[in-house]
Amino acid sequence: MNDISVVLTCLLAYGLAYAGMASFSLGMEKHYVQARVSDLTASRKKLFKATGWSFLILAVLPAIYGWGLTIGIVFWTGFVSLAAISVVLVLSYFPKRLIWLGGGVAGIALSVLLLAML
Amino acid sequence: MKKTFSLSMAWLHTWLGLYLGWLLFAVFLTGTMAVFEHSITHWMQPEALVKPAHAEVILARQLDIAQAYLEQHANREKGSNWMIAPISDNHPSLEVRWRVKGEAHEVLLNPLNGEVVSTRETEGGAMLTHFHYTLLAGLTGTLIVGMAAVVMLVGLISGIVIHKRFFKDFFTFRRRSSAQRSWLDAHNVAGVLILPFLFMITYTGLVMQPNTFLPLGIKAVYENPRALRGDAVQSFEQPYQAETAKMIKVSSLLPQAQAAIQSVGWLMIQNGGDAGAVVEFFQNLDRRISAVADHAAFSAVTGRMLGVQTEWRDSAYVYRGFVGIHMAMFGGWVMSWLYFLAGLVSCGLIATGLILFTIKRRKRPEHEFGAMSTRIYSLIEAINITAVMGSINAILIYFWANRVLPMEIPERSSWEVRAFLLTWLVSLLHALLRKPLYAWREQLVFAVLLCWLLPLCARLNGLPSLLEFWRHGDGIAFGVEATILLMGLLLATAIPKVSKAIHGVPSKRTAGSHKVAY
């Protein structure tokens, strides 16, 4: 892979992992309130959990596509940790931006993923 | 029962974490630097500035230059081993190595004209790697680091037990809360979010050295523990003939070698110049996690292929997998940076743990040492400062010594190491003399100055710095120096926080109650 496709693959995997982790955090009462100031219903909680898992699993795809199964999984683990740390920092410094950052990143990442699959 | 169990885990975590944390911080910090060992070495030899044109010299030409140099200068004797390391992604310059009676010779060559690049004498990044697993104290040091690693595992497990809100506080960092709360949150979040890395790096650090930590198991099976390696790595050596012979150009074997092992990382020539000379091509280690290098051997005199090893025993893959995933030579620069970041977070985990110990007791002394408690607490605080800031400053002073020490003093590289080690002593003396928070702040300011003034210092000594590296297109040296400047920025953000604590600006929760630590 050349450097540009390495960077794109990384951004894709990291973006999906970030969207997943952001979604997980929104499924938790205190962070939901932090980010939006409203109540979290039980059904939304489930939804956030489900999208969280889906994004985390989707993030495996670019990692494996870029580096193969074994090295890809190590990359995936790294990006998931990095994404979780980013969510903690965003929640701590700009909690109101968590949602549109997560949504924006998820949107871009998903469309790139779709384009790559076509 | 449950209460006593978690209480005893907390006791274990506190005390083992404190005593071994002092050592673990230095081990993790140097380990983090070890990720970029070769880049640091390159940066520490500013005479060997690489230009983009160097990397474009084709491999065959590099091999010709290296071989010509070795044939002229390296020793020819039974059992001699010459090594050629050409330019690659993780090796910025063309290097040849050989040994004379155990003493290593390393020479950098200019790939354009074959001239020797004379550089300052330094151990470079290799010293930091060496410290990481030996503390520069040989086998004893390795055993001590091993013990610290076991304690790290104990700390991780006992930490999970006493944390209790592992998932509930997964993303929780209340930085505006009381000092103790926010440091504890930082400690927990750092530990939980990179837990896979922490377990992996600590466990593999232990099992990758079975000869040191579990020698008897190997001795029970092998008379000579070295035979274990022979079981995994096929040897294509030829007997020494004791008669001089003209070697062929090893570069002419390149197409054959590349066909056999895909990519060529480095070469060894055994018994160079002898009729029984063997040249062996090794694959780059970046192709898979497991650190095994496929290799192809040829007679260096006739060019006849002696053998290729591309298949390894499963046990070799597994064992070298531990080594490979610890050293992170796979996955290119992105993986290196991921390891570097995870390493920094681990350092943060250890540092916050150490700081928590003193914050808790400053708020509510527990009199664990009887009448001596106050004194011992302040001693502990001084050692904390030495362990954290002393380690950071030691590495920075090592870099400064590299730039400042005159070229001609004898044993120059050992003076660099001495400066590195002495920094801890100075840091401890300073921490003992000053009040804790002032000591923290002064050593932080010192570290920031060391980071930021480094390019200026290089310039005053007539050495290239950031701008020249950029202009010459030496991305590796540029990257190292830019990272040092960024680390300075990171350290600088801590200074106003310590100042605030000194002036007693109350945080939200504890407003008005008392002076808040940190």
Side-chain angles (χ1 to χ4, degrees), chain B residues 88-101:
Chain B
S88 71
D89 282 348
N90 38 22
H91 198 275
S93 35
L94 173 60
E95 187 180 4
V96 291
R97 287 186 212 167
W98 70 95
R99 277 176 177 279
V100 180
K101 294 194 184 81

Side-chain angles (χ1 to χ4, degrees), chain A residues 5-6 25 29 39 42 45 53 56 61 66 68 81-82 94-95:
Chain A
S5 52
V6 167
S25 75
E29 207 84 53
D39 292 333
K45 221 180 224 178
W53 278 116
L56 278 198
L61 295 180
S81 282
L82 200 63
F94 345 88

Side-chain angles (χ1 to χ4, degrees), chain A residues 3 6 28 30 75 81 92, chain B residues 167-169 172 175 193 331 334:
Chain A
D3 274 357
V6 167
M28 297 160 88
K30 60 180 164 191
F75 267 105
S81 282
S92 182
Chain B
F167 289 108
K168 275 188 186 150
D169 281 353
T172 306
R175 71 193 166 90
L193 296 188
V334 183

Side-chain angles (χ1 to χ4, degrees), chain B residues 43 64 170 187 218 232 251 309 339 348 352 371 418 421 455 464 479 509:
Chain B
W43 177 84
D64 287 344
F170 202 79
H187 185 64
I218 296 169
S251 59
Q309 181 175 19
Y339 269 68
T352 49
R418 272 173 218 153
L421 294 172
R509 287 281 173 79

Side-chain angles (χ1 to χ4, degrees), chain B residues 339-351:
Chain B
Y339 269 68
F340 183 77
L341 288 177
L344 285 185
V345 177
S346 317
C347 293
L349 169 79
I350 299 164

